[in-house]
Amino acid sequence: MPITRKIYTLVVCIVFSISSGYASGPPAHAVASAHPLATAAGVEILREGGNAFDAAVAVSAALGVVEPYSSGFGGGGFWLIHRASDGKQVMIDGRETAPALAHVRMYRDRQDNVIKDASINGPLAAGIPGMPAGLVHLAEHYGRLPLSRSLAPAKRYAEQGFRVTARYHRLAGYRAETLRQYPAAARIFLQDGSPPRIGHLVRQEALAATIDAIAERGLDGFYRGPIAETMVREARKHGGIWSLRDLEAYRVIEREPIVTNYRGARIVSAPPPSSGGIVMAQALQILTAFDLDGMSNVQRKHHIIEAMRRAFRDRAVFLGDPEFVDVPVERLLHKSYLEGLALTVDPAKATPSTIIGEGPALLQTGTQTTHFSVIDREGNRVAGTLSVNTLFGSCFVATGTGVLFNNEMDDFSIKPFTPNAYGLIGDEANAIAPGKRPLSSMTPTFLETPDRIGIVGTPGGSRIISMILLAALDFADGRLPQSWVSLRRFHHQYQPDQVQFELYGLTEFEQQQLAGLGHELREISRRYGNMQAILWDKTENLLHSVSDPRGEGLAVIVE
Ligand code: DON
């Protein structure tokens, strides 16, 4: 009986906290993901004795099947992990790499103009996928169960199908035209060439076979042999440049997270090739110079916006794949540098971005990616943010494999200071080069104090970073994840020089006041983000697991 079980857990929790001060592990497991079937996959694996890492494999793979518009085997991701036995914290970097034939001008014509949509649609837009390698790495180095077990739910969803939701239907509408250009993709993701009806069953038999090959043969199942050969052949047939060598050469990299301290909280987040950890750490350090608590609501927002503006400026100039460019991490996070930046914040007015540096402007497009958070009873945890970049990635499926290719190449700076799909600009540090990883904004993050552990992340392109920043500030203020995921969201990214805010993100009064300080404001016509968060409160030994009310995710506690 569920009610009895709940009471039982509560009793156990109280005993825990009285007898031992801090509990050694949470009272249960918790999973929060963007899709109920992916959360169910995690629950299934935890109940079979898997740990948080096995659950992370199961949830990641399932998300790739049931949210094809967000992530998948043809995409990549970052898994920030914490191993309870020894406290090891690393980020598994499964970001896509540029193929060997990629070059700096590949999306420009002879006149050096950017070729419209060349980095967005079709296999030329796709980097070499890192998702399968990430899953294999997680399972082999940290998991307890064989891949054949942790991939089983995803394989089942692919084979037996999943039902189209209202969200799927809406998102497929945005990409139907491009999906129709690639019949193998249209057959799977559309219904007679149109967005499928709600309730329609999407079956992906070929993808199920690909998942099986990974389960049986690990890396070799995807990066060598028949599936690799088919992907390369199909990509080339449609203008792509992948080679077998590119696939064979793909490796995940374990990277040390970016760690910053903010008002007693330890924030552990994504290092380059993500920009998330550094941008957020910079913004938080700039904000430590101010007494946010003593400010009016509008002043507080003004200062947060100014911190975002400055941190995003450094993103545009300095950040890229650390294997290729020398990212000056120490300098960017140096106390005196950030104190200096804080001094340039004028409490009485907005600093025009042009004063901090040059750069053009463009609008963002609405797009997707996904996130999940998981913790097990031992205290192992994973924050995973996964992506194929924009909706349905490049819309290209390699016939016979079911693999939908990403369009992550667009995250490179395809021409200096030309905005990408998220309006982000960049320069040399993020220029295309063979084997290089495009700069990302994905920001899987742990929020830690001695008595509270948070696990958080969200999709949202460049706005990911500001959403996680707002969540981190809310955590530092002692609030619960219910609050972090529901916060009204606003954003500044240096260029375009405007405060973007979601529908209802700023009140009329706040808009008036911020405009009075010289901020240009732009309301996004919808609400954005899809945050999945977990909090383990060690003093009470309680777990909170929460999905963003804007999405259709499911967060559960698994007893
Ligand atoms: O890695 C990145 O920063 C992007 N490819 C993420 C895309 C994204 O979050 C789209 N979501 N709405």
Side-chain angles (χ1 to χ4, degrees), residues 29 38-59 144-154 156 558:
H29 315 293
T39 300
V43 171
E44 180 178 326
I45 292 306
L46 287 164
R47 288 220 164 112
E48 279 183 26
N51 61 16
F53 309 117
D54 297 306
V57 172
V59 176
R144 196 169 282 159
L145 300 180
L147 265 177
S148 55
R149 260 320 297 135
S150 47
L151 290 179
R156 203 170 62 233
V558 189

Coordinates of all heavy atoms in Angstrom, one line a residue, residues 29 38-59 144-154 156 558:
H29 N 16.1 6.3 -3.7 CA 16.6 6.8 -5.0 C 15.7 7.9 -5.5 O 14.5 8.0 -5.1 CB 16.7 5.7 -6.1 CG 17.2 4.4 -5.6 ND1 18.5 4.2 -5.2 CD2 16.5 3.2 -5.5 CE1 18.6 2.9 -4.9 NE2 17.4 2.3 -5.1
A38 N 11.2 7.8 -19.8 CA 12.7 7.8 -19.5 C 12.8 7.7 -18.0 O 13.7 7.0 -17.5 CB 13.3 9.1 -20.0
T39 N 12.0 8.4 -17.2 CA 12.0 8.3 -15.8 C 11.7 6.8 -15.4 O 12.4 6.2 -14.5 CB 11.1 9.2 -15.1 OG1 11.4 10.6 -15.5 CG2 11.1 9.1 -13.6
A40 N 10.7 6.2 -16.1 CA 10.4 4.8 -15.8 C 11.5 3.9 -16.1 O 11.8 2.9 -15.4 CB 9.1 4.4 -16.6
A41 N 12.3 4.2 -17.1 CA 13.5 3.4 -17.5 C 14.5 3.4 -16.3 O 15.0 2.4 -15.9 CB 14.1 3.9 -18.7
G42 N 14.7 4.6 -15.7 CA 15.6 4.7 -14.6 C 15.1 4.0 -13.4 O 15.9 3.3 -12.7
V43 N 13.8 4.1 -13.1 CA 13.2 3.4 -12.0 C 13.4 1.9 -12.1 O 13.8 1.2 -11.2 CB 11.7 3.7 -11.9 CG1 11.1 2.9 -10.8 CG2 11.6 5.2 -11.6
E44 N 13.1 1.4 -13.4 CA 13.3 -0.1 -13.6 C 14.7 -0.6 -13.3 O 14.9 -1.6 -12.7 CB 12.9 -0.3 -15.1 CG 13.0 -1.7 -15.6 CD 12.6 -1.8 -17.1 OE1 11.7 -1.0 -17.6 OE2 13.2 -2.6 -17.8
I45 N 15.7 0.2 -13.7 CA 17.1 -0.2 -13.6 C 17.5 -0.1 -12.1 O 18.2 -1.0 -11.6 CB 18.0 0.6 -14.5 CG1 17.7 0.2 -16.0 CG2 19.4 0.4 -14.2 CD1 17.8 -1.3 -16.3
L46 N 17.0 0.9 -11.4 CA 17.4 1.0 -10.0 C 16.7 -0.1 -9.2 O 17.3 -0.7 -8.3 CB 16.9 2.4 -9.4 CG 17.7 3.6 -9.9 CD1 16.9 4.9 -9.6 CD2 19.0 3.6 -9.2
R47 N 15.5 -0.5 -9.6 CA 14.8 -1.6 -8.9 C 15.5 -2.9 -9.1 O 15.4 -3.9 -8.4 CB 13.4 -1.6 -9.3 CG 12.5 -0.5 -8.8 CD 11.2 -0.9 -8.3 NE 10.6 0.1 -7.5 CZ 9.5 0.8 -7.8 NH1 8.9 0.6 -9.0 NH2 9.0 1.7 -7.0
E48 N 16.2 -3.0 -10.3 CA 16.9 -4.3 -10.6 C 18.3 -4.3 -9.9 O 19.1 -5.2 -10.3 CB 17.1 -4.4 -12.1 CG 15.8 -4.9 -12.7 CD 16.0 -5.2 -14.2 OE1 17.1 -5.4 -14.7 OE2 15.0 -5.1 -14.9
G49 N 18.6 -3.3 -9.1 CA 19.9 -3.3 -8.4 C 20.9 -2.5 -9.1 O 22.1 -2.5 -8.7
G50 N 20.6 -1.8 -10.1 CA 21.5 -0.9 -10.8 C 21.8 0.3 -9.9 O 21.0 0.7 -9.0
N51 N 22.9 1.0 -10.1 CA 23.2 2.2 -9.3 C 22.8 3.4 -10.2 O 22.3 3.3 -11.3 CB 24.7 2.2 -8.9 CG 25.7 2.2 -10.1 OD1 25.3 2.5 -11.2 ND2 26.9 1.9 -9.8
A52 N 23.1 4.6 -9.7 CA 22.7 5.8 -10.4 C 23.3 5.9 -11.8 O 22.8 6.5 -12.7 CB 23.2 7.1 -9.6
F53 N 24.5 5.3 -11.9 CA 25.2 5.4 -13.2 C 24.5 4.4 -14.2 O 24.3 4.8 -15.4 CB 26.7 5.0 -13.1 CG 27.3 5.8 -12.0 CD1 27.9 5.2 -10.9 CD2 27.3 7.2 -12.1 CE1 28.4 6.0 -9.8 CE2 27.9 8.0 -11.0 CZ 28.4 7.4 -9.9
D54 N 24.1 3.3 -13.8 CA 23.3 2.4 -14.6 C 22.0 3.1 -15.0 O 21.5 3.0 -16.1 CB 22.9 1.1 -13.9 CG 24.2 0.3 -13.6 OD1 25.0 0.0 -14.5 OD2 24.4 -0.1 -12.4
A55 N 21.4 3.7 -14.0 CA 20.1 4.4 -14.2 C 20.3 5.6 -15.3 O 19.5 5.8 -16.1 CB 19.5 5.0 -12.9
A56 N 21.5 6.2 -15.1 CA 21.8 7.3 -16.1 C 21.9 6.8 -17.5 O 21.4 7.4 -18.5 CB 23.1 8.0 -15.7
V57 N 22.5 5.6 -17.7 CA 22.5 5.0 -19.0 C 21.1 4.8 -19.5 O 20.8 5.1 -20.6 CB 23.3 3.7 -19.0 CG1 23.2 2.9 -20.3 CG2 24.8 3.9 -18.6
A58 N 20.3 4.2 -18.7 CA 18.9 3.8 -19.1 C 18.1 5.0 -19.4 O 17.4 5.1 -20.4 CB 18.3 3.0 -17.9
V59 N 18.2 6.1 -18.6 CA 17.4 7.3 -18.8 C 17.9 8.0 -20.1 O 17.1 8.4 -20.9 CB 17.5 8.2 -17.6 CG1 16.8 9.5 -17.9 CG2 16.9 7.6 -16.4
R144 N 27.0 -1.0 -12.7 CA 27.1 -2.3 -12.0 C 26.5 -3.3 -12.9 O 26.8 -4.5 -12.8 CB 26.3 -2.1 -10.7 CG 26.5 -3.2 -9.7 CD 25.8 -2.7 -8.4 NE 26.6 -1.7 -7.7 CZ 26.1 -0.9 -6.8 NH1 24.8 -0.9 -6.5 NH2 26.9 0.0 -6.2
L145 N 25.6 -2.9 -13.8 CA 24.9 -3.9 -14.6 C 25.5 -3.9 -16.1 O 26.1 -2.9 -16.5 CB 23.4 -3.4 -14.7 CG 22.6 -3.4 -13.4 CD1 21.2 -2.9 -13.7 CD2 22.6 -4.7 -12.7
P146 N 25.3 -4.9 -16.8 CA 25.8 -4.9 -18.2 C 24.9 -4.0 -19.0 O 23.7 -3.8 -18.7 CB 25.5 -6.4 -18.6 CG 24.5 -7.0 -17.7 CD 24.7 -6.2 -16.4
L147 N 25.5 -3.5 -20.1 CA 24.8 -2.6 -21.0 C 23.5 -3.3 -21.5 O 22.5 -2.6 -21.8 CB 25.7 -2.3 -22.2 CG 26.5 -1.0 -22.1 CD1 27.3 -0.9 -23.4 CD2 25.5 0.2 -22.0
S148 N 23.5 -4.6 -21.7 CA 22.3 -5.2 -22.2 C 21.1 -5.0 -21.3 O 20.0 -4.9 -21.7 CB 22.6 -6.7 -22.5 OG 23.0 -7.3 -21.2
R149 N 21.4 -4.9 -20.0 CA 20.4 -4.6 -19.0 C 20.0 -3.1 -19.1 O 18.8 -2.7 -19.2 CB 20.8 -4.9 -17.6 CG 20.3 -6.2 -17.1 CD 18.9 -6.6 -17.4 NE 17.9 -5.7 -16.9 CZ 16.9 -5.2 -17.5 NH1 16.7 -5.5 -18.8 NH2 16.0 -4.4 -17.0
S150 N 21.0 -2.2 -19.0 CA 20.6 -0.8 -18.8 C 20.1 -0.2 -20.1 O 19.3 0.8 -20.1 CB 21.8 0.0 -18.3 OG 23.0 -0.3 -19.0
L151 N 20.4 -0.9 -21.3 CA 19.8 -0.4 -22.5 C 18.5 -1.0 -22.9 O 17.8 -0.7 -23.8 CB 20.8 -0.6 -23.7 CG 22.1 0.3 -23.6 CD1 23.0 -0.1 -24.8 CD2 21.7 1.8 -23.7
A152 N 18.1 -2.0 -22.0 CA 16.9 -2.8 -22.4 C 15.6 -1.9 -22.5 O 14.8 -2.1 -23.5 CB 16.7 -3.9 -21.4
P153 N 15.4 -1.0 -21.5 CA 14.1 -0.2 -21.7 C 14.1 0.6 -23.0 O 13.1 0.7 -23.7 CB 14.1 0.7 -20.4 CG 15.1 0.1 -19.5 CD 16.1 -0.7 -20.3
A154 N 15.2 1.2 -23.3 CA 15.3 2.0 -24.5 C 15.0 1.2 -25.7 O 14.3 1.6 -26.6 CB 16.7 2.7 -24.6
R156 N 13.3 -1.5 -25.9 CA 11.9 -1.9 -25.9 C 11.1 -0.7 -26.4 O 10.2 -0.9 -27.2 CB 11.5 -2.2 -24.4 CG 10.3 -3.1 -24.3 CD 10.1 -3.6 -22.9 NE 9.9 -2.5 -21.9 CZ 10.6 -2.3 -20.8 NH1 11.6 -3.1 -20.5 NH2 10.4 -1.3 -20.0
V558 N 12.2 6.8 -5.6 CA 12.0 5.3 -5.7 C 12.4 4.7 -4.4 O 13.5 4.7 -4.0 CB 12.9 4.8 -6.8 CG1 12.6 3.3 -7.1 CG2 12.8 5.7 -8.1

